[in-house]
Amino acid sequence: MAVRPSVRLLNGHSMPIVGLGTWLSKIGEVGNAVRVALDAGYRHIDTAQNYYNEEEIGEALEEKVNEGKVKREDVFITTKLAMAGMAPENVKKETLLSLKRLRTDYIDLYLIHHPVSISDEGMSEEPPVRFPKYKNGALKTSFIDPLDTWREMEKLVDEGLVRAIGLSNVNKQQLQRIFEKARIKPANLQVECHAWFPQYEMAEFCEKRGIAFSAYGPIGSPGRPPVEGPATPPLMDEPALKEIASKHEKTVAQVLLRNLMQRGIIVLPKSVTPERIKSNFQVMDFELSPEEMDIIKGINKELRLFQFNYYGKQNFLHPFFPWPELAQSYQPGQGMEQL
């Protein structure tokens, strides 16, 4: 199945189907990763206020623009509003700070990072404390309706500060609620998606409404910290995947990415290793057969690798927590300082 290099958004702009993920990229490494990615042909960079790396990404992008290697309008930048910035009075202020850090006049796609808001008590500090906690380690959450946050994000589009807005880490009911009530419809949903957790129902839900679907953790996020979810062997160790990769003379990571892309899903592989960054982009020169797609479909475990344990079990009962059923498998987290 042929794969288009970009996905058309509801606003008419195109979003490249392969982006560089930057979560967990250490300060001092992410800038070089962005430089390598842009030189390799990437035109989509995914970040977030919560990653604390927007400034370094902005420096790398500005450098490449000044060198004449890329034009700003050819690079698609996604960033995400911190959960501690979701109060309506904070949304524009936080957006302007992201624009300053990214050294750009506009953001291509701006997402609500998670539907559960966090106290903004430490946001005025430098650097901002985006994850204040109680003594028991649970995050200090607040009770801001994501719809109220959304209304403010719509104003950002009106002002030209943001071109498209979307959501991350929401369930189907939350997405539907925003979609029905929004003046500007969600252009994109970004959620965990990989061969063990393929999200068929959610992907179909988005497709029917013209919402672009992005996958984080598309190769199983082998570097995710223990606080995020269950300890498992790497997804890339699946024998069936190794066999398919060998047949195509590709890496297992490339097979996993291609599988999602053939489903029309935008992929956001993260790496700071130059060879892997380049390899993850070399996914347009082969095709998985229908039989191979079915084999990959057969390894589905409906296994969430990201279970947000760092929120603390008490917050699994928060009215906007998207998956309260995760409380049954909750394992005490280590704190956000581990992320």
Side-chain angles (χ1 to χ4, degrees), residues 47-49 52-59 79 98 101-102:
T47 184
Q49 293 178 351
Y52 292 91
N53 62 19
E54 287 177 318
E55 188 165 4
E56 194 171 340
I57 289 171
E59 290 175 0
T79 194
S98 279
R101 289 188 289 260
L102 289 165

Side-chain angles (χ1 to χ4, degrees), residues 43 61-71:
R43 293 297 180 265
L61 177 59
E62 184 179 67
E63 178 184 307
K64 288 298 177 181
V65 170
N66 290 341
E67 289 176 357
K69 299 292 181 65
V70 297
K71 295 179 180 179

Side-chain angles (χ1 to χ4, degrees), residues 70-84:
V70 297
K71 295 179 180 179
R72 166 62 186 95
E73 59 266 29
D74 293 335
V75 181
F76 192 99
I77 299 176
T78 298
T79 194
K80 309 173 191 77
L81 176 67
M83 292 85 86

